[in-house]
Amino acid sequence: MAQSIFDGTIPDGEYEYKVFKISQNKYILIAFDIKKILKQLKDLNIDIKFIDRIYTAQSEFLKDEISFKIDEEFGLVSVEGVLVKMPVKLFTTDVDIDRILLDKKLSSNYIYSGSLQKTDLKQKDFKLLLFLLLLINIFLVSSAIIVKKEIYNVNLKKEDFVDKNSLPATVLQIKSMEEELKAIDNIQSAIRKGIDYLAQFKLLKDEYFVMLRYDGKKLLYKIKFKERKRQRKFKSYLSKYKNSIVEIGEAK
Amino acid sequence: MSLFRYISILIFTAFITGGYLFYFEQEYRQTSEYFKEFKQKSENYLFLKKKWASKEHKEKILKSIKRRFKPSVYKKEENHVVIEFENLNERSFKKVGDMFLNNGFVINNLDIKRQGEALFFHIEVKI
């Protein structure tokens, strides 16, 4: 709609439009080609990055009954609130723009803001950062939930294992009971090995078994051997199993 | 709310969640290692328990020994059994001996003596 208002009144170009409220039910519509403005500023060797804001003379001198020179040939004159470009020859007073601008307080009706451009750029970066942070948060939260669930599963597995095998709940208790059984295993295995050997040892004629006794501490053998050599053979073989419980006694 | 505030909140949340994740991972590692150790120890324990502490099986064997070999003494106490055989021949001794040795009986006391051609066999086993 803004474009149609200016249709035929301004030269062709890529215009942007802005509306400023100037009083109750009164608005001002401005058409401007910001690219062209910035290009002209650039042509005047003004670095764009040092420009904070750009205002239109129309919006800034709206309420002032004023006329001033903008160069040697032309000036602007306020006619019922509308600034008109006129040759300076028609001016009755001779006021320079620099003097006018000295006391001028600028409104909030700017058409371009350098800081806004920068902020816009920053905002894009911030939005990207925000998105990345959101993704990181989602990743962290979901990972934490997964890990917590894994912990729960491991604990569940342990409970099942304990229930299934009627076990005590801690490793310490298991260790203690295992140690007890290991001690039994060592002694009982030694007894069995000793007895097995005796059963396998072939006695010669005139040799006979006299006694085998285990009193809870020692395993005592008594065998009548024909020769000392045979007794030594038996002893040397048993020395393989010789732990604290095996002992060979003299047979009479 | 400004973007800065959102970013601050998300950074704060990321730190807190990251902290929790780190804590949970440590907890998971410890729990898994503990379970692994627990399982391994338990399996060793269960193996030894089965080998030496299975009461029902032992009672069956003892009944069978009592029925088949008719010991001269059979005294059953709360935690142990005392059995004695007089004049046990070598064949029977071998059989009864195997039954005690191969069925996880914990031998508390043992006495085997020659009795002429036969054997005297006294055994006290834990049940």
Side-chain angles (χ1 to χ4, degrees):
Chain A
M1 197 180 98
Q3 198 177 1
S4 65
I5 291 170
F6 287 99
D7 199 19
T9 58
I10 50 175
D12 290 340
E14 291 174 18
Y15 292 99
E16 289 175 40
Y17 304 91
K18 274 206 171 174
V19 178
F20 303 124
K21 187 173 181 178
I22 50 172
S23 64
Q24 188 73 25
N25 298 327
K26 278 192 178 175
Y27 297 88
I28 179 168
L29 175 63
I30 292 170
F32 59 96
D33 185 343
I34 194 68
K35 281 183 190 166
K36 206 170 175 181
I37 295 168
L38 292 174
K39 189 181 173 298
Q40 281 183 352
L41 288 168
K42 211 173 168 185
D43 292 344
L44 291 167
N45 290 326
I46 295 170
D47 196 337
I48 305 296
K49 71 182 177 190
F50 295 118
I51 294 173
D52 187 34
R53 283 173 184 178
I54 297 174
Y55 297 80
T56 60
Q58 180 63 79
S59 68
E60 296 313 297
F61 297 104
L62 201 65
K63 291 169 187 170
D64 304 329
E65 287 296 326
I66 206 163
S67 61
F68 54 85
K69 280 166 68 179
I70 51 173
D71 57 27
E72 288 308 312
E73 284 185 67
F74 294 97
L76 291 175
V77 180
S78 172
V79 182
E80 291 175 358
V82 178
L83 282 186
V84 183
K85 190 177 174 184
M86 290 175 68
V88 286
K89 285 174 187 170
L90 301 173
F91 279 30
T92 51
T93 52
D94 186 17
V95 183
D96 192 68
I97 187 167
D98 292 335
R99 238 188 71 201
I100 297 285
L101 290 178
L102 269 179
D103 304 323
K104 184 68 195 165
K105 282 186 181 168
L106 296 169
S107 69
S108 59
N109 300 333
Y110 53 86
I111 58 167
Y112 170 88
S113 168
S115 62
L116 193 68
Q117 298 300 313
K118 283 171 201 163
T119 312
D120 279 349
L121 190 68
K122 272 184 195 167
Q123 273 195 344
K124 273 183 194 168
D125 293 342
F126 281 142
K127 276 178 186 167
L128 185 68
L129 184 65
L130 199 70
F131 179 68
L132 288 174
L133 280 169
L134 201 67
L135 282 184
I136 290 169
N137 269 281
I138 290 167
F139 169 76
L140 288 172
V141 170
S142 51
S143 300
I145 290 168
I146 290 167
V147 174
K148 192 70 188 160
K149 203 167 179 189
E150 287 294 317
I151 294 169
Y152 175 77
N153 286 342
V154 172
N155 283 327
L156 206 67
K157 265 190 203 170
K158 192 200 152 199
E159 276 173 28
D160 283 351
F161 186 72
V162 166
D163 288 347
K164 200 176 159 190
N165 298 294
S166 311
L167 292 166
T170 66
V171 169
L172 205 68
Q173 287 167 295
I174 298 265
K175 266 185 187 171
S176 150
M177 289 161 81
E178 191 200 355
E179 289 304 314
E180 210 175 294
L181 285 172
K182 258 187 189 168
I184 292 172
D185 189 57
N186 285 339
I187 294 167
Q188 296 297 320
S189 299
I191 295 170
R192 278 154 177 78
K193 278 176 188 168
I195 295 170
D196 276 351
Y197 178 64
L198 180 66
Q200 284 162 24
F201 193 83
K202 293 222 164 149
L203 293 171
L204 300 175
K205 200 182 170 190
D206 299 332
E207 286 181 342
Y208 53 89
F209 163 80
V210 177
M211 191 190 82
L212 172 70
R213 179 179 288 160
Y214 173 68
D215 60 2
K217 287 177 186 167
K218 297 250 178 233
L219 190 66
L220 176 69
Y221 292 87
K222 282 191 182 177
I223 299 165
K224 179 71 183 167
F225 286 106
K226 204 174 168 186
E227 295 165 358
R228 279 256 175 219
K229 203 173 130 190
R230 290 274 298 156
Q231 190 181 8
R232 278 201 299 274
K233 190 186 171 190
F234 184 72
K235 274 188 177 180
S236 75
Y237 188 84
L238 272 182
S239 64
K240 270 201 264 179
Y241 305 123
K242 203 158 188 173
N243 52 38
S244 57
I245 70 154
V246 177
E247 197 175 289
I248 300 164
E250 279 296 317
K252 289 171 189 169
Chain B
M1 210 185 290
S2 70
L3 276 178
F4 281 114
R5 193 163 288 181
Y6 279 123
I7 287 168
S8 310
I9 289 168
L10 283 178
I11 289 172
F12 179 73
T13 319
F15 267 106
I16 298 291
T17 325
Y20 268 108
L21 180 62
F22 178 73
Y23 172 76
F24 288 156
E25 272 180 354
Q26 293 290 103
E27 195 186 338
Y28 174 68
R29 198 171 297 131
Q30 280 175 1
T31 312
S32 302
E33 276 169 18
Y34 181 79
F35 179 56
K36 208 172 155 189
E37 191 193 352
F38 184 85
K39 211 173 167 188
Q40 196 189 339
K41 288 278 167 204
S42 301
E43 274 163 3
N44 293 345
Y45 163 73
L46 287 169
F47 170 75
L48 290 171
K49 190 183 163 193
K50 199 178 169 191
K51 191 173 174 187
W52 299 114
S54 159
K55 206 170 173 176
E56 294 79 15
H57 177 64
K58 282 178 205 162
E59 281 184 341
K60 272 187 201 165
I61 300 291
L62 283 172
K63 271 184 193 167
S64 165
I65 290 171
K66 197 178 169 187
R67 189 170 39 83
R68 285 174 64 192
F69 300 99
K70 307 218 174 349
S72 51
V73 175
Y74 186 92
K75 208 159 66 182
K76 194 176 176 190
E77 302 286 336
E78 197 185 339
N79 293 322
H80 67 272
V81 179
V82 178
I83 304 170
E84 265 182 34
F85 300 89
E86 296 273 355
N87 294 312
L88 199 64
N89 66 44
E90 202 178 321
R91 206 168 147 230
S92 299
F93 169 72
K94 203 171 171 357
K95 278 183 186 170
V96 80
D98 281 348
M99 285 172 100
F100 278 114
L101 294 180
N102 300 327
N103 286 296
F105 284 100
V106 175
I107 301 167
N108 285 342
N109 209 292
L110 180 72
D111 195 4
I112 307 165
K113 278 185 257 181
R114 172 165 282 278
Q115 272 186 335
E117 286 300 305
L119 290 162
F120 166 78
F121 181 32
H122 163 98
I123 191 165
E124 183 191 313
V125 289
K126 211 163 137 182
I127 49 165

